[in-house]
Amino acid sequence: MQLTVWTYEGPPHIGAIRIAASMRAVHCVLHAPQGDTYADLLFTMIERGEHRPPVSYTTFKARDLGTDTAELLKTRVRETYDRFKPDLLLVGEACTAELLQDQAGTLAESMDLPVPVVPLELSAFSRQENWGASETFYQVVRRILQQQVPPPGSAPRASVRERCAGRRPTANLLGPTSLGFRCRDDVVEVARLLDSIGVDVNLVAPLGASPVDIARIPQADFNCCLYPEVSLATSSWLERMFKQPTVKAIPIGLNATRDFLGEISTLTGIDVGTALAAGASRLPWYSRSVDSTYLTGKRVSIFADATHAIAAARICAEELGFKVVGLGTYSRELAREVRAVAAHYGIEALITDDYLEVETQVAGLHPELVLGTQMERHIAKRLGIPCAVIGAPHHIQDCPARYAPQMGFEGTNVIFDTWVHPLMMGLEEHLLTMFRGDFEFHDEAQDSGQWTVVSGQGNEQVTMSGGQADQSAAASNQPATDHQPPTTAWSPEAERELKKIPFFVRGKARRNTELFATERGIQMITVETLYDAKAHFGR
C-alpha cells in the first residue's frame, strides 16, 4: 500500500456505487465505517447529479467493533428495503469493513428479501474502481439473466442477418456509467449514428437502465461495447451464453467511427456508405487547414484510461499529424492492449497508478501537448505545457452543460477544438511574448532599439539591440555566407523602413540588403536600395 495525495481510481466499492447511481430501481448497501460516505460528493459536486446516489451505509463506529457488526448490517439492509423498495439490492463492503469478515453479501442473501440480492465480493485490497464497476455490472446482468440462459444443446442462435431479415436490427449500448467521461453525450451521439444507418437501440446499460430493462438484453441482435473498462466482461459473457455478437470498435475519432460502422455493416449487411459520405465531421478539413498545419509534428504525451488513451493515440497519429512520444494508462486490466498500441508507435507504454511516475515521464519527454486526466492537467500546468483532458478522473469543468460528445462524427469536432485550442493559444502567447518589445506593439521599442527574446529551450530571457536581434533572427532564417561583412551604412529612413518588417524575417532582410549593396558597391543603403534588394532576392 502506498500513501499518496492523488489516485486515478478509488477503491472498488466506488465502482459499485457508480453502477447503482447509473441505474434506476437499484439500491446499494455498503458495510462501511463512519467517514467512508464521501462518495456522495463525487456525484453531486463533480457530475452535478440531480439526486444523491442510491446508497445506504451501516456507518459503524469504533465502539461498535466490540459488538455484533453483522447484526448492524442486517438491520440496515432491512431498513433500506422498507424505505426505498428497490427492484434489486446490491450489498457489499468498503475497504475497512472487509477486514471484519462479516460476509455482507452472504448475510443479505440469507434474509429472504422479496427482491433479488446481488452480493458483491470487491477485493478491496487488490482491485480498484473500474474493476469494481465492471464486476458489479457483470454480476447484476448475470443475476437477472440467469433464468434466460439457453440450456446446453440448444439450437444455435441465428446470425444477425437472418434474425433481422425484413426489419431494422437492434443493438445494446453497454458500458456508459455515471462519472464516466462524457458518457451522457456519447450515448446520444452513438444512438443518432445508429439511427442514421437503420439500427435501433434496444437499451443502454448500466446508464439509465432498470432491472426490467436488463432482462431485455438478449432481445437485441448485437452489443456495442463502448467502454471496455466497464462492459468487456459482461459483453464476453453475453457472447458465450447467448451467442450475441459484440461490436468492439469504439467510435472515438474519425477512423475509429468508420471502423465502428464497418463492423456493424459486416454483421448486419447494411450499406453504410451513405452514412460515411455524409458524416458531419469537420476534422478532416480543419486538420488540412493552414492554421492546423502549423501544428503538424507536435510532440504529444498521452496518459488516461485505456479506452481514451488508445483512441487518442490513433487520432493524434492518423488524423492530426501529431507525433506520439508518450502513451500510458492506469487501467492495468487493459495494459496488454495499451502496450501493443505503444509498440506500434515505436515507444514503450507506461502502466502505473503513480502520478509522480507520470510527471517524471512527461518532464523527460518535453512534449508540446499533454492529453490526460485531471492529474495530467495539474502536471502540465506546473511544467508550462498545453493540456487537454480526455478521460476520467476529471473535474467539474469537464462535465459541461452543453452537448460535447467524444464519440461519433460530432465527437471528432469536439475533440479537434478541445485538443488544438490549447496549442493555438500557447502559440499565440509565445508570439506575444516574443514580439512584446517590437514597435508594432508599442512605440517606445522603436526608439530604444532593444527587444526581449524568449529562448525556445526554457524561460530565460535575453535582451539584445536591434542589430543583435536581427543577426540572431538571421542565423535561424538564412545559412551563413562566405562574403565579408559589408562596409555599407544605413540611412535613417532605410532603418525606419526596415523596422516595419516583422522581427522574425527582419534579420534576413537586413543581410540580403547589405549583400545586395556590397555586390554593387553601394556605400549608403537607402529605402530604394532596400526595395531593390527585395525585388532582386524575390525573383
Side-chain angles (χ1 to χ4, degrees):
M1 183 176 291
Q2 180 180 0
L3 293 177
T4 182
V5 298
W6 174 275
T7 57
Y8 288 99
E9 296 182 85
H13 73 266
I14 299 296
I17 294 175
R18 284 174 55 192
I19 300 302
S22 301
M23 299 184 67
R24 297 179 290 111
V26 172
H27 202 94
C28 181
V29 176
L30 282 178
H31 198 25
Q34 190 175 32
D36 261 10
T37 59
Y38 64 88
D40 288 13
L41 294 176
L42 298 176
F43 299 89
T44 57
M45 182 180 71
I46 295 180
E47 197 168 54
R48 296 180 286 194
E50 297 178 1
H51 308 286
R52 65 175 297 272
V55 183
S56 298
Y57 305 87
T58 56
T59 57
F60 57 82
K61 305 176 182 62
R63 64 173 178 267
D64 296 321
L65 297 180
T67 62
D68 190 352
T69 53
E71 191 59 37
L72 183 65
L73 168 69
K74 293 170 69 174
T75 300
R76 175 61 68 193
V77 169
R78 195 173 295 109
E79 291 174 348
T80 297
Y81 174 74
D82 291 341
R83 177 181 177 185
F84 296 103
K85 294 292 192 300
D87 292 344
L88 183 142
L89 200 61
L90 303 173
V91 181
E93 300 165 324
C95 307
T96 310
E98 189 174 311
L99 299 173
L100 301 178
Q101 298 185 344
D102 283 334
Q103 303 296 316
T106 304
L107 278 175
E109 272 192 307
S110 67
M111 293 175 62
D112 294 325
L113 294 174
V115 294
V117 174
V118 177
L120 302 176
E121 301 294 334
L122 296 175
S123 306
F125 294 97
S126 60
R127 300 289 189 169
Q128 292 186 296
E129 179 181 332
N130 279 339
W131 181 89
S134 173
E135 179 67 11
T136 301
F137 184 46
Y138 168 69
Q139 293 296 343
V140 167
V141 172
R142 186 170 178 173
R143 174 69 174 82
I144 294 174
L145 297 183
Q146 61 184 359
Q147 301 300 323
Q148 298 186 44
V149 174
S154 299
R157 182 184 177 106
S159 69
V160 174
R161 296 192 184 199
E162 293 172 338
R163 284 173 55 88
C164 62
R167 65 170 175 83
R168 288 165 62 103
T170 59
N172 298 317
L173 306 184
L174 303 182
T177 65
S178 184
L179 278 184
F181 190 73
R182 307 286 174 84
C183 287
R184 176 198 64 193
D185 296 343
D186 283 348
V187 166
V188 175
E189 186 64 24
V190 173
R192 288 177 179 173
L193 185 63
L194 292 177
D195 181 65
S196 71
I197 63 172
V199 176
D200 293 329
V201 174
N202 180 50
L203 62 88
V204 178
L207 190 64
S210 69
V212 174
D213 295 327
I214 296 294
R216 297 191 293 106
I217 283 180
Q219 297 176 15
D221 297 307
F222 61 93
N223 296 313
C224 297
C225 182
L226 297 182
Y227 303 95
E229 285 86 355
V230 175
S231 57
L232 181 59
T234 300
S235 299
S236 300
W237 182 79
L238 291 168
E239 201 159 3
R240 292 194 309 272
M241 297 295 105
F242 293 90
K243 309 304 180 203
Q244 207 171 23
T246 301
V247 172
K248 296 181 179 179
I250 301 167
I252 302 178
L254 185 62
N255 291 337
T257 300
R258 289 169 174 165
D259 291 347
F260 177 76
L261 293 176
E263 276 196 48
I264 294 175
S265 176
T266 301
L267 272 178
T268 63
I270 293 175
D271 182 3
V272 298
T274 302
L276 290 173
S281 173
R282 294 181 61 80
L283 185 145
W285 181 87
Y286 283 134
S287 61
R288 292 193 300 268
S289 66
V290 173
D291 285 345
S292 187
T293 55
Y294 295 151
L295 307 178
T296 300
K298 290 293 184 182
R299 295 163 55 86
V300 181
S301 178
I302 304 167
F303 190 91
D305 63 272
T307 295
H308 289 92
I310 291 172
R314 184 178 184 185
I315 295 170
C316 286
E318 297 180 7
E319 300 171 25
L320 294 176
F322 297 161
K323 180 176 177 59
V324 179
V325 297
L327 178 63
T329 185
Y330 56 82
S331 304
R332 294 186 181 275
E333 291 81 11
L334 296 172
R336 180 181 301 174
E337 288 81 354
V338 176
R339 287 193 177 101
V341 172
H344 174 72
Y345 296 114
I347 57 179
E348 184 176 350
L350 176 63
I351 311 298
T352 183
D353 57 3
D354 185 349
Y355 69 94
L356 294 176
E357 289 186 40
V358 180
E359 182 165 12
T360 299
Q361 184 190 65
V362 171
L365 291 173
H366 302 290
E368 293 157 290
L369 175 67
V370 173
L371 301 176
T373 70
Q374 173 67 7
M375 190 62 240
E376 280 64 52
R377 192 206 306 273
H378 293 313
I379 291 171
K381 185 176 181 180
R382 285 195 293 272
L383 297 175
I385 305 171
C387 178
V389 173
I390 63 170
H394 52 280
H395 199 262
I396 185 172
Q397 68 192 84
D398 301 303
C399 297
R402 71 184 186 282
Y403 184 62
Q406 300 291 285
M407 294 186 176
F409 293 122
E410 182 59 27
T412 64
N413 297 330
V414 174
I415 287 171
F416 182 90
D417 287 343
T418 306
W419 298 8
V420 170
H421 285 175
L423 279 173
M424 297 301 290
M425 293 304 296
L427 176 63
E428 181 177 297
E429 290 177 7
H430 175 72
L431 292 174
L432 287 173
T433 301
M434 189 169 78
F435 297 135
R436 66 188 174 193
D438 196 82
F439 78 94
E440 294 179 26
F441 284 81
H442 57 86
D443 295 335
E444 291 79 3
Q446 184 171 357
D447 298 329
S448 68
Q450 291 189 338
W451 296 272
T452 300
V453 180
V454 179
S455 167
Q457 303 301 318
N459 294 324
E460 62 269 22
Q461 296 182 353
V462 180
T463 300
M464 299 185 289
S465 68
Q468 290 174 316
D470 290 344
Q471 294 298 321
S472 174
S476 62
N477 283 284
Q478 178 177 319
T481 60
D482 295 331
H483 75 282
Q484 295 296 321
T487 58
T488 55
W490 286 72
S491 69
E493 296 80 7
E495 284 279 7
R496 286 194 293 271
E497 193 69 18
L498 178 67
K499 289 179 179 177
K500 296 179 182 180
I501 299 173
F503 173 82
F504 51 90
V505 293
R506 190 181 303 155
K508 182 176 181 180
R510 176 185 287 274
R511 293 190 58 151
N512 283 348
T513 303
E514 290 174 349
L515 177 61
F516 178 84
T518 300
E519 290 175 346
R520 285 157 180 76
I522 299 173
Q523 299 296 317
M524 177 65 68
I525 295 176
T526 63
V527 174
E528 290 75 14
T529 309
L530 178 63
Y531 281 99
D532 287 344
K534 177 183 177 184
H536 173 75
F537 287 103
R539 286 187 299 211

